[in-house]
Amino acid sequence: MTGGLLWGLTGLALLDSVNAAMIWIVVVILLGAKRPAPTGWAFMLGAAVSFLAFALMFYFGLSVVDSVLDGLTLWLRRALCVGLAVALVVMGVRRLRPRRRKGYALPPWVNAWSAVPFGALATIGDLPNAFPMVLAVERLIDADTATSVAVVVLIGYTLVYALPSALILAAGLAFNEELREQLRSVLGGRTSGTADPSPKAAAACFAGAAASLALLFLWVG
């Protein structure tokens, strides 16, 4: 485990932690749950444990397959770069058109007891966006990292992934109505009405897609 690899994995974990879906669900729990504290922490537990479980399953599964199929991680890296570029292009095209914002509402069956499986379901639903985690696992395997070290690193990766949502939940519970009113205002502005086209956001998406393809040709090969 080199310093450069550790810093790279930390960057991927920070990128993964900016998870809009997870953050919005935490905000909705704060604003809509009858018991926001136990419901919120149970949700975070379910989300974090399931995320770590999928990361470990992917790591051990890919390790076994890579030992049989030489060069699999290289093709996975190529697929990730292409997939990320395509996803960013699609996002950029969407930002060029007006779009109806989707509202967020807490399912009526979610409570302090059912929030753990709800967190697991939310993690499963968000797995298609887990490009950073997949790339982090690929880097660990490509670097021939010892299994015990890789497991510890993935636990740390999961903690970083969950940190922003956990901090928002803790702040919302600590400051109660003062912060919740601000969150309610932000949530209403982001989940209602129609979003205008955003050429700047589209340009940023297209630039990200170009950077992903450049990474593919200049570094991955």
Side-chain angles (χ1 to χ4, degrees):
M1 175 63 66
T2 64
L5 177 59
L6 187 60
W7 277 112
L9 295 174
T10 302
L12 289 171
L14 290 173
L15 179 62
D16 227 348
S17 71
V18 187
N19 189 316
M22 187 73 65
I23 291 173
W24 284 127
I25 292 175
V26 168
V27 171
V28 170
I29 289 175
L30 280 169
L31 300 179
K34 293 182 179 179
R35 301 170 61 199
T39 304
W41 290 120
F43 170 80
M44 289 301 307
L45 176 63
V49 169
S50 58
F51 183 89
L52 176 59
F54 281 111
L56 291 174
M57 288 171 56
F58 187 70
Y59 169 76
F60 285 110
L62 187 61
S63 297
V64 172
V65 175
D66 186 62
S67 64
V68 178
L69 300 176
D70 187 38
L72 177 66
T73 55
L74 175 60
W75 283 103
L76 177 62
R77 207 178 307 162
R78 291 169 176 168
L80 286 174
C81 289
V82 173
L84 180 58
V86 171
L88 287 171
V89 168
V90 172
M91 289 174 59
V93 171
R94 289 178 177 175
R95 293 300 184 276
L96 292 174
R97 298 178 297 184
R99 63 190 188 283
R100 186 77 177 176
R101 293 191 177 102
K102 296 180 180 179
Y104 287 84
L106 191 67
W109 54 269
V110 176
N111 52 44
W113 297 103
S114 61
V116 171
F118 179 56
L121 288 174
T123 300
I124 293 172
D126 198 52
L127 282 179
N129 298 319
F131 285 102
M133 182 268 284
V134 174
L135 185 57
V137 169
E138 185 275 331
R139 296 306 300 152
L140 286 171
I141 295 174
D142 189 62
D144 291 326
T145 306
T147 300
S148 58
V149 175
V151 170
V152 172
V153 169
L154 289 176
I155 292 174
Y157 187 103
T158 302
L159 293 176
V160 175
Y161 162 80
L163 184 60
S165 299
L167 289 176
I168 291 174
L169 177 60
L173 294 172
F175 294 100
N176 295 319
E177 289 304 320
E178 181 180 351
L179 180 59
R180 292 186 197 183
E181 283 301 320
Q182 297 179 12
L183 292 175
R184 189 173 287 108
S185 177
V186 172
L187 183 65
R190 295 287 183 177
T191 60
S192 61
T194 301
D196 295 328
S198 177
K200 291 183 179 179
C205 291
F206 295 145
S212 181
L213 292 178
L215 186 67
L216 170 63
F217 290 110
L218 298 178
W219 178 60
V220 176

